[in-house]
Amino acid sequence: MSSSILVIDDEQDIRVLIKYNLEKEGFVVSEAANGEKGLEMAVQQVPDLILLDVMMPGMDGIETCEKLNAIPGLKHTMICFLTARGEDYSQIAGFEAGADDYITKPIKPKLLVSRISAILRRKGAAGTDVNNDSTDNKEKSITIDRERYLISKEGNEMFLPRKEFELLALLMSKPSKVFHRDVIMNSVWGADVVVGDRTIDVHIRKLREKIGDTHIVTVKGVGYKFEE
Amino acid sequence: MSSSILVIDDEQDIRVLIKYNLEKEGFVVSEAANGEKGLEMAVQQVPDLILLDVMMPGMDGIETCEKLNAIPGLKHTMICFLTARGEDYSQIAGFEAGADDYITKPIKPKLLVSRISAILRRKGAAGTDVNNDSTDNKEKSITIDRERYLISKEGNEMFLPRKEFELLALLMSKPSKVFHRDVIMNSVWGADVVVGDRTIDVHIRKLREKIGDTHIVTVKGVGYKFEE
DNA sequence: ATTAATAGATAACGTTAAGTTAACACGAAT
DNA sequence: ATTCGTGTTAACTTAACGTTATCTATTAAT
């Protein structure tokens, strides 16, 4: 369950600092000294999160980020920039390039860990919508766009409240797979939250109301699944 | 897609050095040995970026820069000074004359390339004032001009206080993307600053007051996004 | 067929996140 | 010293959202 993190930075000191602090917290950390190597490792490892220095000789962070985003397999990898304080324009360019967050140097270990946890938490809610690239293409009547927080049903986009969105995202993360009620509970609500039995049902109903009854199938005594 | 760069410097060594290094990176580079020639070529070629030596016999860099800025066709050309380290006055005078950035000599090739990439990125990014000139695009009702620190709403320019400006700039850096509250917090306020929950809201409200309610969309429990 | 278990439906309810407003604090400019 | 612009806080309101309660329908087991 420990998340994997790839650090791409030309300065060895920084890499070591980050690695040390994150491994102490139980993350699996790998490192690359430049953009090219980073891309290569990212493709191989498919980490959960990439920490990416903006200012690097050769291929800089922005460029690397754009390349990373172009790789389908890394669709669900979060990218977080490391920027020197003051380079504010890079914040802007960074988000344009497709970053999810950024952390400013100098890096404070405590802060680093809490930021990273926050980012991974955000990702976690995303579920892993591992759309198996194989046999993909058939017209999907429903798609989810986490970045814009919209779903699209037969072309028309619509907004869903958070719980409904996360619930749908989870079910759609692996179509046809049955998600047990307690898995849904843990995934969408969290392990510590305690809510009643009917809560899931109600959200399922609201979802069916919006996307149609055909997609979400009840497997009695087990859970729910999403069908195209 | 490769950017064109004009180098104006009286020293041939420098011109050659720069040209060599930039062409290696795929830029299209032309050169001029003095201000007059530089102006002429700038008008002809309309490069994306002009590298301009400050200390030149005859018409110096500052003067050349002012002339360049007076030419309407070069409105979207970035100007970057080349200054010897220590001539700090040039930083001041340079920006006054309308420069966008400067690079100090002696020039380190690696740094040169990354600075130039950054400048050109800024041109692409911040200068959303890509308006008209070219029979172009869909009416953007709002644009931001970081250099002059102004936004423009349906033609009329207005000033925004810093926090509001940065907030809007962030949201507009990727329209339709939902920015989480903590990302906004970090981006506009900084990771270490601690302010109350309602601070973001208040600034959002002030923005909506000024640019209209239609643009900034709340995604409850998630964050905010900008829509055209 | 009867019962028990499980899910569907609906509306009421409570909670939480965001909106709103005014007041306050601070620094820069006058 | 005073004013003004800016940013933050506090206190309250509003509305969206999520949860619960209750009842009904369906399915599975005996």
Side-chain angles (χ1 to χ4, degrees), chain A residues 123-183:
Chain A
K123 172 194 158 74
T128 16
D129 96 6
V130 196
N131 285 335
N132 22 6
D133 296 302
S134 54
T135 67
D136 54 355
N137 45 31
K138 58 182 175 187
E139 289 287 326
K140 283 199 188 98
S141 67
I142 295 182
T143 58
I144 62 179
D145 181 341
R146 164 155 249 107
E147 182 172 288
R148 297 193 298 147
Y149 224 83
L150 293 173
I151 69 158
S152 158
K153 189 204 164 195
E154 287 141 24
N156 20 8
E157 296 184 325
M158 54 171 68
F159 167 79
L160 292 182
R162 202 175 72 202
K163 282 269 144 55
E164 287 166 47
F165 188 94
E166 298 301 346
L167 176 52
L168 180 62
L170 175 66
L171 295 179
M172 285 185 67
S173 70
K174 191 153 190 185
S176 298
K177 172 186 159 75
V178 181
F179 290 85
H180 291 254
R181 278 173 158 265
D182 52 342
V183 172

Side-chain angles (χ1 to χ4, degrees), chain A residues 208 218 220-221 224:
Chain A
R208 294 211 250 238
T218 304
K220 233 182 153 147
Y224 297 92

Side-chain angles (χ1 to χ4, degrees), chain B residues 163-181:
Chain B
K163 282 269 142 55
E164 287 165 48
F165 187 93
E166 297 301 345
L167 177 52
L168 181 62
L170 175 66
L171 295 179
M172 285 185 66
S173 71
K174 189 148 194 187
S176 297
K177 173 184 161 77
V178 178
F179 289 85
H180 291 251
R181 274 173 162 263

Side-chain angles (χ1 to χ4, degrees), chain B residues 81-96:
Chain B
F81 274 126
L82 300 171
T83 86
R85 191 188 304 284
E87 312 178 59
D88 9 59
Y89 70 89
S90 62
Q91 300 173 15
I92 312 301
F95 286 117
E96 245 165 36

Side-chain angles (χ1 to χ4, degrees), chain B residues 6 67 80 96 120 126 146 156 160 162:
Chain B
L6 171 61
K67 296 236 166 74
C80 176
E96 245 165 36
L120 290 171
R146 174 158 238 107
N156 20 7
L160 290 182
R162 198 172 89 231

Side-chain angles (χ1 to χ4, degrees), chain A:
Chain A
M1 199 59 197
S2 69
S3 300
S4 58
I5 300 173
L6 170 62
V7 183
I8 308 178
D9 196 315
D10 57 309
E11 290 168 79
Q12 199 194 347
D13 294 355
I14 303 247
R15 292 201 309 271
V16 170
L17 173 76
I18 293 176
K19 189 168 194 222
Y20 170 75
N21 281 288
L22 292 182
E23 285 185 340
K24 211 174 57 183
E25 297 292 326
F27 296 106
V28 176
V29 184
S30 51
E31 37 181 318
N34 58 58
E36 291 82 359
K37 197 90 184 74
L39 273 175
E40 209 176 282
M41 293 182 67
V43 172
Q44 268 181 23
Q45 306 177 1
V46 189
D48 297 306
L49 169 67
I50 295 174
L51 293 177
L52 182 53
D53 188 26
V54 175
M55 286 291 278
M56 288 190 294
M59 193 160 75
D60 70 13
I62 307 277
E63 201 182 334
T64 308
C65 183
E66 280 163 354
K67 295 238 166 77
L68 285 168
N69 269 306
I71 299 168
L74 300 176
K75 219 169 70 183
H76 304 295
T77 294
M78 305 290 275
I79 298 175
C80 178
F81 273 125
L82 300 171
T83 86
R85 191 188 303 285
E87 312 180 57
D88 8 61
Y89 66 87
S90 62
Q91 301 172 15
I92 310 302
F95 285 115
E96 245 166 33
D100 298 290
D101 204 344
Y102 69 94
I103 293 173
T104 53
K105 297 182 188 176
I107 291 166
K108 293 175 186 166
K110 284 242 168 176
L111 217 97
L112 175 75
V113 172
S114 84
R115 290 304 297 286
I116 281 176
S117 304
I119 297 168
L120 289 172
R121 208 174 305 127
R122 231 147 58 203
K123 172 194 158 74
T128 16
D129 96 6
V130 196
N131 285 335
N132 22 6
D133 296 302
S134 54
T135 67
D136 54 355
N137 45 31
K138 58 182 175 187
E139 289 287 326
K140 283 199 188 98
S141 67
I142 295 182
T143 58
I144 62 179
D145 181 341
R146 164 155 249 107
E147 182 172 288
R148 297 193 298 147
Y149 224 83
L150 293 173
I151 69 158
S152 158
K153 189 204 164 195
E154 287 141 24
N156 20 8
E157 296 184 325
M158 54 171 68
F159 167 79
L160 292 182
R162 202 175 72 202
K163 282 269 144 55
E164 287 166 47
F165 188 94
E166 298 301 346
L167 176 52
L168 180 62
L170 175 66
L171 295 179
M172 285 185 67
S173 70
K174 191 153 190 185
S176 298
K177 172 186 159 75
V178 181
F179 290 85
H180 291 254
R181 278 173 158 265
D182 52 342
V183 172
I184 294 175
M185 205 64 233
N186 270 293
S187 212
V188 180
W189 276 263
D192 34 4
V193 187
V194 227
V195 290
D197 286 13
R198 301 271 65 73
T199 300
I200 290 178
D201 307 36
V202 172
H203 285 283
I204 289 284
R205 184 187 142 269
K206 285 180 184 162
L207 266 178
R208 294 211 250 238
E209 214 165 57
K210 285 167 187 166
I211 67 171
D213 293 349
T214 52
H215 292 291
I216 298 175
V217 180
T218 304
V219 182
K220 233 182 153 147
V222 185
Y224 297 92
K225 63 175 172 172
F226 179 89
E227 298 283 5
E228 308 277 348

